[in-house]
Amino acid sequence: MTAAPETPRAATMRARARWAVGSHGSARVAGAERRDRRSLRTLLWAVPPLAVLTAIFLVPLAETVWQSVSTTSGAFAGFGTWSQALSSAALGRAVGTTLWIALLTTCGCVLVGTFLAVGLSFVPFSGSRVAVRLLEAVVSFPSFIIPLAFGILYGRAGVLNSALAGLPGSPHVDFVNDLPGVVFAEIAYFTPFVVRPLLAVFGQIPRELLDVSGSLGAGPLMTLRRVILPDARPALAASAGLVFLLAMNEFGIIMFTGAKNVVTLPMLVYTKSIVTFDLPSAAVVACAQLALSLAVYGLYRALVRRLSGGSRAAA
Amino acid sequence: MPLAAVRCPDAGEFDDGRPPAVELRGVSVRYPGASAGSRPALADLSLRVDPGETVALLGPSGSGKSTALKAVAGFEQPSEGRVLLAGRDVTRRPPAERGIGVVVQQYALFPHLRVADNVAYGLRARRLPRAQVRARVGEMLEMVGMEEHARKLPRELSGGQQQRIAIARALAIRPDVLLLDEPLSALDARMRQDMVEELARLRRELPDVAMLYVTHDQSEALALADRIGVMRDGRLVDLGTAHELYHRPRHAFTASFLGGANLLDGVLEAPGAARGRTTHDDASSPELTVRLDAGGSVSARIGDPASDAGASGGRVTVAVRPHALRMLPAGRDANEAAGSASGLRGTVVSVQWRGTGHRLRVALGGTDRGSAGRAVAVDLEPFAAVPAVGDAVVLGVVRGEAVIVPRDETIGGLRVPAAPVRPAAGATA
Amino acid sequence: MLLHSPSTRTAVKAALIAVLALLLGVPLLAVVLAAFAGSWNGVWPSDPTFAHLADALSADNLASISVSLQTAFIASIVAVAVGAWAALAARSAGGRAAKAIDAAFHLPAAVPSVVVGLGLLAAFSRPPLTLNGTATIVVIAQTTLVLAFSYSTVAGAAEVLDPALEQVAGSLGAGSLRVLLTVRLPLLLPSIGAALGLAFALCMGELGATIMVYPASWRTLPVSIFALADRGSLFLAAADTLVLIASTVAVLALIARLRGRTTVR
């Protein structure tokens, strides 16, 4: 199995791509023909992977957009579903919740991640290497392990509550199945995405820089603020952008938390399509989510390009 | 390994009653994680630097000289001993509270701060008023001749310019002590020469600042330092003025590291003549005769009269610098010609043109052509006749230039033993 | 080196350890302990038991494990093959074409898994290609989701590949296919191995798109774990999660060993 079967649309696009490349080649003068043929051949090499991408990713996305404006039989149905969905409060609320959770998660990850990275880099302790390895491993664990653990530990019938029940006044914690639970779980899971790039940056800072800063009279806080953090700013901005995007798109953690009143866009897509089988509405929500995600992703790419390009140009 | 008995013991009191600017008392540094039995990075260093004095720590890499500097700056915590600045014990104080100017090898300029902000860094850490900071930065940049580069970022400057900024930054906080850790090693040869002159000028402009200058380059140490400490394997092996160390090394390592002396092993003849005559004057030092293991004999002075090198029949080493060796015309009586050596016969194994003259390598004691590594280096005088490789030659020593030092088998390199060098450690009795 | 005062250093170290423990240590430990807990009504679990683990390895669950492994295997291999191909094509194309390929293959990382799942449902629920209800659609879903990571891992390595090596190979008379097989691929092998490991691990834990498209006959382990957790069987879910992580780590170790053997040093 080398490629997924092509849809007719993908085949058309591939043919169109071939045609575009071909006409481009023939427009050149004869002297450049050989070089052109070679560049044509290298471009042709890109066609098979692009065809696969089109078939399994771009076409389904296009179909989703189409579904939001079509009937179940495949005919154009107008923008009724759109106006209906856009006027409903649910979509607006979901957008707000999604962005709010992503923002809280990003802030939490940046704070915790910066603290961990600075500590692990500059105040090493005997277990710090194990901690770094663990942080790296967690990224490849399934995301739902954190909400699962939160449920066991802090859930209504969890360890913490049964321990607290024995205390006078029987205090009670109940945050897991609500927004704080989601945010804490996402912070725990996404923090390594901030720590890892920061560790790489901090590993590059020569020790002499910190020593000299100290000998010039700077205390640890001034050294942190004036020497360490300025160096980490591009990496920090990039990883914050990545965490925001991942948190916006996160589904497994919210699903596992079982927070019924935390309805983000992915959750809304899931309920509309799988639970209530309202596929056109689900498609509208998916389009909204898609637009939002792509916008954030575009900003993230631009940010990364500017930060890395800026430092490279200045270097 | 011989202990460093300091040649000029630091007096406790000084003329003007001021305490030394820097004082190390028995400082050892052992890096965390190093095994207990291993050699410490710095062992039992005692050293004083007076206000206005420049002391250079000279030694090969890994000799502990940089560690000594880091202990003074507070970058490393001594495992034993105490560090005093102007009589105040700062052993447990962080670098920020020591008020020392530090210039390191790679300059360590803050890459994201402009030149002026780099220089202002220490002043801002002291929360000086803005106007005062600006005035002081201007003053410092003017001192190092970098006024027009104030708005540049460090990466826009050349190595030498970065070095000037690093010095300006260190001096901006008006330190009483300036530490320089191999400050010129990242520069090319010409730039280094310019900077040595520049540093000598700064030296004159800052008569009260004590400097500790760490380097592996003897010419920098000779040019800048009032006193030089020679370091090896974490220990201070010799300490004295440049003149003392150069002309009367009391250790084979000092002789070979400072001036690249040839080390010729031999046995002392006419023992006892030196006893009771411990004058520091070169001219009146007694000449003793040493029978060399490689054949022939040399008359030489004892480097440090206090050492026991002059013991009867002692196995000693004679240190002779390459420029003090002469090639004698064949057939003439060696003793008459050079006065202080006889029978130093050898074979030329290589001839190297070095611009100012020729350097020969001569394998002593026979025709052993494969022993270039054990050959002595000879610098010919500018217009001397140049022999060819393979020629048999007779060498003489300029009178007064051969110095007897205790034998130390642990030094490789330029020595000429009778037998191949044994990689013996701690073989000295 | 940053903190010189021993008391501050101790305080910061304590805070570090506390944050690490709260963030990762305690949750991971809790899952492990819960997997072996008969009951957990105090601070520590009681009645240690292997019953949950035995349950997790029962026939029903073994089927889920096998489904997960198969899906992740095929999806990650396809994704890495396509991603590596695209990365190499982008590198040899250069210029604007490379930028376009780069942007296209990074795109799946930006799209939420649920939307990818919905898209597949929309595209493959009717002729000409009805994949809805088959295992294939699950494989496609996971392939799509890890394609971007596979691409960027290999592309990152290809970018820092010294072009002089290829030029030298070319100057020695090697054709482009030979250069590909004898120079580029061997040099990229470590990154391809890394991409394979990452893709496999991500596939094993994938829930969002899978839950949208999976048929009852092809239920992956995360879906089973979700069903358990949803029902409140947290200890069983924890045991299943342990099994999931264990099998992932085992495969990753295998990939690492193969990489170690093939890497040129």
Side-chain angles (χ1 to χ4, degrees):
Chain A
M1 168 164 190
T2 53
E6 271 186 346
T7 60
R9 196 172 304 194
T12 334
M13 285 181 92
R14 205 166 85 166
R16 205 172 290 162
R18 217 177 273 148
W19 176 81
V21 166
S23 66
H24 173 77
S26 63
R28 293 292 175 94
V29 286
E33 202 175 297
R34 237 189 69 168
R35 201 186 56 219
D36 258 22
R37 204 175 297 150
R38 192 187 301 157
S39 73
L40 186 73
R41 219 171 38 216
T42 56
L43 277 184
L44 276 175
W45 272 102
V47 169
L50 279 175
V52 175
L53 183 76
T54 308
I56 67 173
F57 178 65
L58 297 178
V59 169
L61 284 191
E63 288 277 3
T64 307
V65 178
W66 174 245
Q67 195 171 49
S68 70
V69 291
S70 66
T71 62
T72 38
S73 57
F76 183 70
F79 293 96
T81 333
W82 273 89
S83 54
Q84 201 184 324
L86 288 179
S87 61
S88 81
L91 184 62
R93 260 204 315 272
V95 170
T97 311
T98 308
L99 293 178
W100 182 232
I101 289 180
L103 186 69
L104 289 177
T105 302
T106 308
C107 292
C109 284
V110 165
L111 284 177
V112 178
T114 307
F115 172 68
L116 285 182
V118 169
L120 289 171
S121 298
F122 302 117
V123 195
F125 54 95
S126 48
S128 51
R129 293 184 64 170
V130 179
V132 171
R133 295 289 289 275
L134 191 67
L135 279 167
E136 284 175 350
V138 164
V139 176
S140 57
F141 285 179
S143 62
F144 54 76
I145 190 168
I146 302 284
L148 182 63
F150 275 26
I152 294 168
L153 288 169
Y154 316 119
R156 283 198 192 89
V159 175
L160 186 60
N161 274 326
S162 44
L164 286 177
L167 297 176
S170 57
H172 191 72
V173 289
D174 188 13
F175 68 91
V176 166
N177 306 102
D178 208 342
L179 196 113
V182 172
V183 171
F184 282 135
E186 292 198 357
I187 290 175
Y189 187 69
F190 290 132
T191 292
F193 288 86
V194 177
V195 175
R196 275 167 29 134
L198 284 188
L199 283 180
V201 171
F202 292 160
Q204 300 284 312
I205 295 183
R207 219 204 116 159
E208 286 77 30
L209 234 47
L210 310 184
D211 282 347
V212 165
S213 172
S215 77
L216 289 168
L221 279 181
M222 177 168 172
T223 303
L224 183 68
R225 204 165 43 88
R226 299 286 306 274
V227 179
I228 295 175
L229 290 186
D231 227 21
R233 212 171 284 149
L236 202 55
S239 49
L242 182 66
V243 168
F244 191 87
L245 185 70
L246 291 174
M248 237 175 67
N249 294 351
E250 181 53 44
F251 172 75
I253 288 177
I254 305 172
M255 189 81 169
F256 256 78
T257 310
K260 294 282 180 287
N261 55 339
V262 180
V263 182
T264 60
L265 285 172
M267 286 301 286
L268 201 58
V269 172
Y270 174 73
T271 18
K272 290 244 189 248
S273 58
I274 301 300
V275 183
T276 60
F277 289 107
D278 183 1
L279 287 180
S281 303
V284 171
V285 180
C287 288
Q289 162 99 66
L290 197 59
L292 211 54
S293 294
L294 290 181
V296 170
Y297 179 67
L299 285 176
Y300 163 72
R301 291 270 288 190
L303 181 78
V304 169
R305 204 173 313 125
R306 225 192 68 197
L307 290 173
S308 64
S311 69
R312 209 175 296 151
Chain B
M1 198 164 296
L3 279 174
V6 177
R7 182 202 307 269
C8 311
D10 289 307
E13 295 302 321
F14 288 85
D15 305 350
D16 51 5
R18 277 195 291 174
V22 179
E23 186 176 359
L24 298 174
R25 289 189 190 159
V27 171
S28 297
V29 174
R30 201 175 269 285
Y31 286 115
S35 63
S38 70
R39 181 168 67 76
L42 184 66
D44 193 27
L45 174 66
S46 293
L47 180 73
R48 287 161 186 245
V49 186
D50 290 330
E53 189 191 22
T54 299
V55 171
L57 289 180
L58 180 66
S61 57
S63 60
K65 55 192 194 307
S66 283
T67 308
L69 181 134
K70 285 177 179 154
V72 175
F75 303 159
E76 295 294 348
Q77 271 294 319
S79 42
E80 286 153 55
R82 295 203 292 150
V83 180
L84 289 88
L85 294 176
R88 194 167 59 98
D89 190 335
V90 296
T91 314
R92 303 284 155 207
R93 309 309 311 162
E97 292 176 25
R98 301 193 182 196
I100 293 179
V102 184
V103 177
V104 298
Q105 197 171 352
Q106 300 295 337
Y107 323 133
L109 296 180
F110 303 120
H112 55 286
L113 297 181
R114 299 190 182 280
V115 162
D117 295 321
N118 261 287
V119 177
Y121 191 91
L123 304 170
R124 296 203 172 121
R126 284 166 174 69
R127 301 182 195 286
L128 290 187
R130 197 175 284 238
Q132 220 169 314
V133 170
R134 196 177 311 130
R136 180 75 180 148
V137 168
E139 192 185 322
M140 295 321 293
L141 287 178
E142 192 184 345
M143 187 180 81
V144 295
M146 294 286 292
E147 305 97 309
E148 70 268 37
H149 301 290
R151 299 295 303 153
K152 286 188 181 166
L153 285 169
R155 56 173 165 258
E156 296 166 313
L157 303 178
S158 73
Q161 290 173 325
Q162 292 190 30
Q163 184 59 275
R164 284 161 206 263
I165 299 305
I167 292 170
R169 180 179 64 180
L171 290 175
I173 60 172
R174 297 182 200 277
D176 294 327
V177 177
L178 181 63
L179 307 180
L180 300 129
D181 188 1
E182 305 249 2
L184 309 183
S185 64
L187 301 176
D188 60 51
R190 243 194 84 187
M191 187 63 107
R192 202 176 306 162
Q193 193 48 49
D194 290 350
M195 279 307 288
V196 166
E197 281 163 26
E198 184 88 12
L199 285 172
R201 180 180 64 80
L202 274 176
R203 182 71 289 228
R204 288 192 298 276
E205 287 178 19
L206 303 162
D208 293 329
V209 175
M211 291 194 192
L212 189 59
Y213 191 103
V214 163
T215 181
H216 66 267
D217 184 320
Q218 51 150 331
S219 64
E220 290 171 25
L222 293 172
L224 294 170
D226 300 317
R227 286 189 299 153
I228 298 174
V230 178
M231 299 210 50
R232 180 188 176 209
D233 296 339
R235 292 178 182 278
L236 184 70
V237 292
D238 217 338
L239 178 68
T241 66
H243 187 265
E244 284 171 337
L245 293 191
Y246 196 85
H247 293 289
R248 289 202 309 274
R250 47 164 296 283
H251 196 276
F253 182 75
T254 309
S256 86
F257 199 79
L258 201 67
N262 297 298
L263 301 177
L264 308 171
D265 288 345
V267 179
L268 204 60
E269 283 186 349
R275 287 295 145 106
R277 298 177 62 181
T278 54
T279 168
H280 279 237
D281 185 358
D282 290 356
S284 59
S285 283
E287 295 257 320
L288 303 176
T289 305
V290 177
R291 179 154 299 284
L292 299 179
D293 297 353
S297 64
V298 173
S299 27
R301 295 171 292 109
I302 288 185
D304 178 18
S307 81
D308 59 354
S312 164
R315 298 175 60 73
V316 295
T317 296
V318 178
V320 190
R321 297 212 153 71
H323 63 78
L325 285 166
R326 292 277 181 278
M327 221 172 60
L328 303 179
R332 282 184 54 187
D333 180 35
N335 242 333
E336 262 176 44
S340 62
S342 67
L344 250 68
R345 290 168 203 288
T347 312
V348 177
V349 289
S350 75
V351 179
Q352 196 187 5
W353 166 244
R354 317 179 101 208
T356 51
H358 285 86
R359 167 164 286 195
L360 311 181
R361 290 212 167 262
V362 177
L364 290 184
T367 54
D368 187 2
R369 266 176 162 240
S371 59
R374 294 197 276 119
V376 290
V378 180
D379 283 347
L380 292 184
E381 288 165 290
F383 302 105
V386 181
V389 172
D391 285 2
V393 292
V394 180
L395 297 179
V397 178
V398 174
R399 185 174 289 280
E401 288 288 333
V403 180
I404 298 171
V405 291
R407 191 181 282 206
D408 183 351
E409 305 281 341
T410 61
I411 303 171
L414 297 173
R415 67 198 353 258
V416 183
V421 183
R422 292 182 299 277
T428 327
Chain C
M1 42 184 136
L2 183 63
L3 300 174
H4 288 275
S5 140
S7 58
T8 329
R9 209 157 43 209
T10 314
V12 170
K13 274 183 200 171
L16 260 182
I17 291 170
V19 169
L20 279 170
L22 222 61
L23 210 64
L24 295 174
V26 173
L28 296 182
L29 193 67
V31 171
V32 174
L33 288 179
F36 296 101
S39 60
W40 197 341
N41 296 317
V43 175
W44 293 104
S46 43
D47 315 323
T49 173
F50 284 101
H52 308 315
L53 214 59
D55 245 15
L57 295 171
S58 68
D60 197 28
N61 248 309
L62 278 180
S64 266
I65 297 170
S66 138
V67 162
S68 266
L69 284 172
Q70 289 178 55
T71 314
F73 257 128
I74 300 171
S76 54
I77 287 172
V78 172
V80 170
V82 174
W85 188 334
L88 285 169
R91 185 176 149 82
S92 40
R96 212 175 293 163
K99 270 193 191 132
I101 297 171
D102 199 60
F105 272 88
H106 271 113
L107 215 51
V111 176
S113 51
V114 188
V115 175
V116 167
L118 185 71
L120 292 175
L121 285 181
F124 299 122
S125 287
R126 56 178 199 284
L129 211 56
T130 316
L131 297 175
N132 197 354
T134 66
T136 313
I137 199 167
V138 182
V139 173
I140 293 177
Q142 298 197 353
T143 305
T144 312
L145 285 171
V146 296
L147 192 53
F149 295 106
S150 312
Y151 169 82
S152 62
T153 306
V154 182
E159 200 180 325
V160 296
L161 210 61
D162 188 356
L165 291 172
E166 291 162 45
Q167 286 158 4
V168 165
S171 77
L172 293 170
S176 40
L177 187 67
R178 182 179 285 275
V179 172
L180 176 72
L181 291 178
T182 58
V183 178
R184 297 169 102 193
L185 279 180
L187 286 174
L188 289 179
L189 218 52
S191 72
I192 290 174
L196 204 58
L198 180 67
F200 183 82
L202 290 175
C203 286
M204 285 296 283
E206 212 291 317
L207 182 68
T210 311
I211 211 167
M212 295 286 289
V213 299
Y214 82 96
S217 59
W218 196 259
R219 199 164 76 162
T220 64
L221 199 50
V223 176
S224 304
I225 295 173
F226 172 66
L228 287 172
D230 208 31
R231 267 191 282 148
S233 318
L234 292 182
F235 295 169
L236 263 178
D240 276 19
T241 307
L242 269 197
V243 170
L244 175 70
I245 291 177
S247 38
T248 309
V249 167
V251 173
L252 289 187
L254 199 72
I255 292 176
R257 271 198 71 178
L258 289 177
R259 265 169 76 190
R261 215 173 283 162
T262 51
T263 310
V264 195
R265 282 197 187 257

